[in-house]
Amino acid sequence: MTRTLVIGATGTVGRPVVAQLAATGAPVRALTRNPAAAQLPPGVEVVQGDLTVPATLERSLDRVDAVFLVWTAPRTALDAALDVIAARARRVVFLSAPIKTPHPFFQQPNPARDLMLAIEQRIERSALEWTFLRPGIFAANARHFWGPQIRAGDLVRWPYLSAPTAPIDERDIASVAVRTLTEEGHGGKEYVLTGPQSLTQREQIAIIGDAIARPLRIEEITPDEARQGLLASMPAPAISMLFNAWAAALGQPAHVTATVADVTAAPARTFAQWAADNAASFTS
Ligand SMILES: NC(=O)c1ccc[n+]([C@@H]2O[C@H](COP(=O)([O-])OP(=O)(O)OC[C@H]3O[C@@H](n4cnc5c(N)ncnc54)[C@H](OP(=O)(O)O)[C@@H]3O)[C@@H](O)[C@H]2O)c1
């Protein structure tokens, strides 16, 4: 049975990947820099490791066939980490982004795109069998975007309210990841993953209001005003990346794919489903 190492196991996508892999009964090893804080399900083997410390990866990869790779570490650690992974594992599934999809939302220049491309090229040059997952914007971002304002009251002030996106539920990204990690036939595939609907940001906020049974007042503000408010919780380059993408998204529907359903044989969850299942994050 395939033994999988999940790198990024405590993160937004890694956590459901670990849970869903564990539910299949396959051996799962979860890598984290801090096992004491990991809070992963019983039955999961939790190991201490760091992408910037290759020796910790080496021991984590003992008897591992497949690696699920989320990369949020510095770029300088890339070559050494990939050398170790390629020497020990057979297959990697990398959480990338839709950097090759010709929709303006995905085509704004930014350092994160450059890093994704560099990682993909490094993986392609290795002997690993690879699959690249290319999810669009995560539904889970809504917790960071609007959670603070919704928990504080009924008014949400936000820029680019008419910008449409197709947020994907992190559990659906995980379901595709589990298929590609555990089944044959996904080598060399690049899966562009989105939610099932194009929704403006205004519509997404209203859907959260429905999920928590509180009508929200939604007010458009300028990007400059929004930037000032967000700087306390988000790095400036991440804010610029989002604002440029939303500005470019205006005026056409979001890019929507059927890939979640094609790979998993189950329909992608709607944003309304995500909001209903995550309502507590907006109320407590
Ligand atoms: N948000 C979006 O809308 C979106 C859309 C498309 C693609 N993406 C891509 O998705 C990725 C982020 O995924 P995510 O949201 O699931 O991540 P996340 O929630 O930020 O979690 C990152 C994980 O990486 C681990 N980590 C950080 N530094 C590490 C290191 N040096 N060594 C080992 N592990 C380390 C952390 O684990 P510990 O702290 O436990 O070690 C954590 O579990 C990014 O590459 C992003 O570009 C995001």
Side-chain angles (χ1 to χ4, degrees):
M1 213 180 229
T2 307
R3 182 186 305 277
T4 302
L5 176 69
V6 179
I7 300 178
T10 61
T12 304
V13 177
R15 210 172 265 289
V17 169
V18 169
Q20 292 182 30
L21 276 171
T24 69
V28 190
R29 190 174 291 161
L31 182 134
T32 170
R33 289 166 299 172
N34 183 6
Q39 296 190 317
L40 288 160
V44 172
E45 185 190 357
V46 180
V47 293
Q48 199 282 332
D50 190 320
L51 284 164
T52 65
V53 186
T56 64
L57 292 179
E58 254 175 64
R59 61 166 192 255
S60 306
L61 284 157
D62 182 40
R63 290 172 297 120
V64 160
D65 309 293
V67 172
F68 181 68
L69 178 62
V70 178
W71 188 281
T72 57
R75 186 178 186 148
T76 47
L78 181 59
D79 282 336
L82 256 301
D83 280 348
V84 175
I85 293 170
R88 302 205 162 226
R90 183 172 69 83
R91 170 181 295 173
V92 66
V93 176
F94 171 52
L95 183 68
S96 187
I99 54 177
K100 296 183 180 168
T101 299
H103 184 287
F105 183 73
F106 300 127
Q107 287 306 325
Q108 304 313 303
N110 64 64
R113 283 176 64 85
D114 298 344
L115 177 57
M116 291 295 166
L117 191 59
I119 298 171
E120 290 182 9
Q121 289 171 343
R122 185 65 188 70
I123 291 172
E124 284 167 340
R125 286 199 305 273
S126 76
L128 288 158
E129 178 188 300
W130 55 262
T131 307
F132 298 151
L133 304 189
R134 304 189 179 283
I137 198 155
F138 298 175
N141 292 344
R143 279 201 288 261
H144 308 295
F145 294 163
W146 309 310
Q149 294 186 69
I150 295 174
R151 286 192 296 274
D154 290 337
L155 176 62
V156 179
R157 305 177 75 243
W158 198 250
Y160 303 109
L161 284 173
S162 304
T165 61
I168 179 161
D169 192 308
E170 50 277 13
R171 294 168 295 183
D172 288 331
I173 306 173
S175 300
V176 173
V178 168
R179 294 287 188 136
T180 55
L181 287 160
T182 59
E183 294 177 351
E184 298 305 316
H186 300 285
K189 298 279 176 63
E190 306 180 27
Y191 291 132
V192 178
L193 308 173
T194 72
Q197 288 167 289
S198 173
L199 296 165
T200 65
Q201 297 204 91
R202 184 187 294 280
E203 288 169 330
Q204 293 171 38
I205 297 166
I207 286 170
I208 294 169
D210 290 344
I212 60 173
R214 257 171 53 201
L216 299 172
R217 286 181 297 129
I218 306 168
E219 186 182 302
E220 177 116 18
I221 55 174
T222 67
D224 282 347
E225 191 183 347
R227 183 184 299 275
Q228 291 316 312
L230 283 169
L231 276 171
S233 59
M234 218 187 267
I239 298 173
S240 297
M241 181 174 83
L242 284 168
F243 284 14
N244 291 341
W246 286 325
L250 291 167
Q252 73 256 284
H255 184 72
V256 173
T257 72
T259 314
V260 169
D262 291 345
V263 175
T264 67
R269 293 172 175 88
T270 62
F271 188 70
Q273 183 67 56
W274 181 90
D277 293 343
N278 290 274
S281 349
F282 296 94
T283 53
S284 53

